[in-house]
Amino acid sequence: MENNNLGSSDRLLLAAINLISERGYNGVTTQEIATAAGLSEKTLFRHFGSKQKLLESAFDRYHYAEEMRKLFKEKLVWELEEDLLTVSRTYHEIMNRNRKLIQISTRDEVQLPGFKERTQQHPLQLLEILTNYFIAMGEKGKMIRTDPKMQAFTFMMSQFGAFVNNLEAGKNYPDIALEPFMHESVKIFARALTP
Amino acid sequence: MENNNLGSSDRLLLAAINLISERGYNGVTTQEIATAAGLSEKTLFRHFGSKQKLLESAFDRYHYAEEMRKLFKEKLVWELEEDLLTVSRTYHEIMNRNRKLIQISTRDEVQLPGFKERTQQHPLQLLEILTNYFIAMGEKGKMIRTDPKMQAFTFMMSQFGAFVNNLEAGKNYPDIALEPFMHESVKIFARALTP
DNA sequence: AATGTCTGTCAGTGATTACTGACATCATAA
DNA sequence: TTATGATGTCAGTAATCACTGACAGACATT
């Protein structure tokens, strides 16, 4: 964890994210965070005033909030299997970039109100986009027309479930990798939803 | 939270599970747990000796560890859509019964080693059962024969994702309920996997 | 009546922890 | 050189918290 080329604030923020995502807000001391950042506890408080504000700053600074909307506009080609793969890839990219903050926001949601809403926005956005995409595909005759919202939700849940189990870490399901999962899950849904 | 007809130990265990699942192990004091149980802090320590042992006892006492294996043996009828619905129902029943303990074990896994393995056994069992079921169905000619393990895993992930989002609580996705989700997700996979 | 069991109250201890103030050090810029 | 800003050290405070011992009351069993 040698981030010596970064500024002190960023070193503290990253150390905080790493430690708190692993052991929880109440499971980490300001002393530990400062030491992990290679700085003194005093410096931590000079920069952020309180432990709470330190974590809030970490969210403001390191939460990637780009809209999924934009990412899809230019990428979708109205070919179901290809597009589902794009959706899956983009989803896992964004979610994995935010993994540690998402973990913190779910674990410590009671103590850190408002954080969960911010990380929950990505799934909600995706659900909306995907539902609209399914409706449009149905109108084009390229998809069965039954329950687009629930279909989108089911696809999302499969991706979300895989994300939560952190296939890349390989701890929960050692012999299942992310890339093959994305392909197989996309294939399944494409086959199920094609007329 | 009036469990006055229960013994003191059980009142304490249930109060501990409720509070810790909401606010985390380090976010709850022994004082709070005792008060929630309608007892004094002293009584808590007389019964369990330490906070740690209190939680461990809660797991031993309230973790429903029945094997999915048994539940399926008598229920499956080798009809894909019907069986997938049975699997989904059974899965959510068991997982929801264990929801609070599962939440504790994932949130506080670092501080409570060994707990996660115990709650993770249900999904692992289900994956194995479902994979074998898919293989057998393939041999009967009732399912496409491609990648049974990954197909089982994808189905499981969709159920797991829905479980994590606690549809019954209706907080994350207010307009999506568990029952319709189970039916739609099962329909999707049945259509995708039928020859 | 006597005994044992369960519980509460009270008053504490020792450890941890977020957070502070005073002062020193050191590099860089003016 | 001097001033400035960022940092470290040290010693400390006030609060919290897991946990304890001593004593007493309530209740059931014998």
Side-chain angles (χ1 to χ4, degrees):
Chain A
M1 211 181 294
E2 308 297 329
N3 295 320
N4 287 327
N5 48 337
L6 291 171
S8 296
S9 284
D10 285 306
R11 303 225 304 278
L12 288 165
L13 294 173
L14 291 174
I17 292 175
N18 283 326
L19 289 174
I20 295 176
S21 70
E22 282 170 15
R23 314 217 301 266
Y25 182 78
N26 289 321
V28 177
T29 70
T30 51
Q31 174 67 258
E32 284 176 300
I33 296 172
T35 302
L39 296 166
S40 75
E41 197 184 5
K42 185 80 208 184
T43 302
L44 184 156
F45 283 101
R46 273 200 272 250
H47 276 262
F48 299 102
S50 74
K51 189 184 180 184
Q52 181 94 13
K53 281 189 180 172
L54 166 67
L55 183 52
E56 287 167 9
S57 303
F59 261 74
D60 293 337
R61 179 97 174 70
Y62 285 100
H63 186 233
Y64 304 94
E66 66 260 285
E67 296 209 353
M68 294 228 181
R69 231 171 294 277
K70 293 174 190 164
L71 294 167
F72 290 124
K73 265 189 188 145
E74 59 231 34
K75 285 193 187 171
L76 298 184
V77 298
W78 304 102
E79 198 59 49
L80 187 57
E81 185 161 347
E82 196 181 337
D83 286 342
L84 282 181
L85 193 56
T86 302
V87 168
S88 177
R89 261 193 224 293
T90 310
Y91 174 81
H92 286 289
E93 271 168 26
I94 294 183
M95 294 292 278
N96 275 316
R97 258 208 300 275
N98 285 288
R99 177 177 294 280
K100 288 177 182 175
L101 295 182
I102 292 173
Q103 202 168 332
I104 293 174
S105 75
T106 56
R107 172 189 261 147
D108 292 310
E109 62 172 311
V110 183
Q111 302 153 51
L112 308 178
F115 283 38
K116 188 158 191 189
E117 287 67 30
R118 288 170 65 185
T119 51
Q120 192 70 6
Q121 68 169 295
H122 302 309
L124 287 172
Q125 263 184 36
L126 180 54
L127 178 58
E128 191 198 333
I129 295 167
L130 201 53
T131 303
N132 291 332
Y133 172 81
F134 281 178
I135 293 172
M137 284 290 278
E139 286 164 358
K140 287 178 196 282
K142 294 184 168 184
M143 250 188 67
I144 59 170
R145 302 181 67 170
T146 50
D147 191 341
K149 183 166 189 180
M150 202 56 100
Q151 288 157 353
F153 182 72
T154 303
F155 181 72
M156 269 200 50
M157 285 303 98
S158 68
Q159 305 301 310
F160 176 68
F163 164 74
V164 170
N165 275 296
N166 199 356
L167 300 181
E168 287 173 349
K171 209 183 156 197
N172 294 330
Y173 298 93
D175 46 352
I176 295 183
L178 179 57
E179 191 69 24
F181 165 76
M182 290 196 299
H183 279 91
E184 186 62 33
S185 65
V186 162
K187 250 174 62 183
I188 290 171
F189 280 87
R191 187 161 198 269
L193 303 178
T194 298
Chain B
M1 210 180 294
E2 308 299 329
N3 294 319
N4 287 327
N5 49 337
L6 291 172
S8 295
S9 283
D10 285 306
R11 302 226 304 278
L12 288 165
L13 293 173
L14 290 174
I17 291 175
N18 283 327
L19 290 173
I20 294 177
S21 71
E22 282 169 16
R23 315 217 301 267
Y25 182 79
N26 289 322
V28 177
T29 69
T30 51
Q31 174 68 256
E32 286 175 298
I33 295 172
T35 302
L39 296 167
S40 75
E41 197 184 5
K42 186 78 206 185
T43 301
L44 185 156
F45 282 101
R46 273 199 271 250
H47 276 264
F48 300 102
S50 74
K51 190 184 180 185
Q52 181 93 15
K53 280 188 180 173
L54 166 67
L55 183 52
E56 286 167 10
S57 302
F59 261 73
D60 291 338
R61 180 99 173 68
Y62 285 99
H63 186 234
Y64 303 93
E66 67 260 281
E67 294 209 355
M68 295 227 180
R69 228 173 296 278
K70 293 174 189 164
L71 294 167
F72 290 124
K73 264 188 189 147
E74 59 229 37
K75 285 191 187 173
L76 298 184
V77 299
W78 304 102
E79 199 59 48
L80 187 56
E81 185 161 348
E82 195 180 335
D83 286 342
L84 284 181
L85 193 56
T86 301
V87 168
S88 177
R89 261 192 222 294
T90 309
Y91 174 82
H92 286 288
E93 270 169 27
I94 293 182
M95 294 293 277
N96 275 317
R97 257 209 301 275
N98 285 287
R99 177 177 295 280
K100 289 177 183 176
L101 296 182
I102 292 173
Q103 202 168 332
I104 293 173
S105 75
T106 56
R107 171 190 262 146
D108 292 310
E109 60 172 314
V110 183
Q111 301 152 52
L112 308 177
F115 283 39
K116 188 158 189 188
E117 286 67 30
R118 288 170 64 184
T119 52
Q120 191 71 7
Q121 69 169 296
H122 303 306
L124 287 173
Q125 263 183 37
L126 180 54
L127 179 59
E128 190 197 333
I129 294 166
L130 202 53
T131 303
N132 290 332
Y133 172 82
F134 281 178
I135 292 172
M137 284 290 278
E139 286 164 357
K140 289 176 194 282
K142 295 183 169 184
M143 251 189 67
I144 59 170
R145 303 180 68 170
T146 50
D147 191 342
K149 182 165 191 181
M150 202 58 99
Q151 287 158 353
F153 181 73
T154 303
F155 181 73
M156 268 199 50
M157 286 302 99
S158 69
Q159 305 301 311
F160 176 68
F163 164 75
V164 171
N165 275 296
N166 199 356
L167 300 181
E168 288 174 348
K171 210 183 156 199
N172 295 329
Y173 297 93
D175 47 350
I176 295 183
L178 179 57
E179 190 70 22
F181 165 77
M182 290 195 300
H183 280 91
E184 185 62 33
S185 64
V186 162
K187 250 174 60 183
I188 290 171
F189 280 88
R191 185 163 200 269
L193 303 179
T194 299

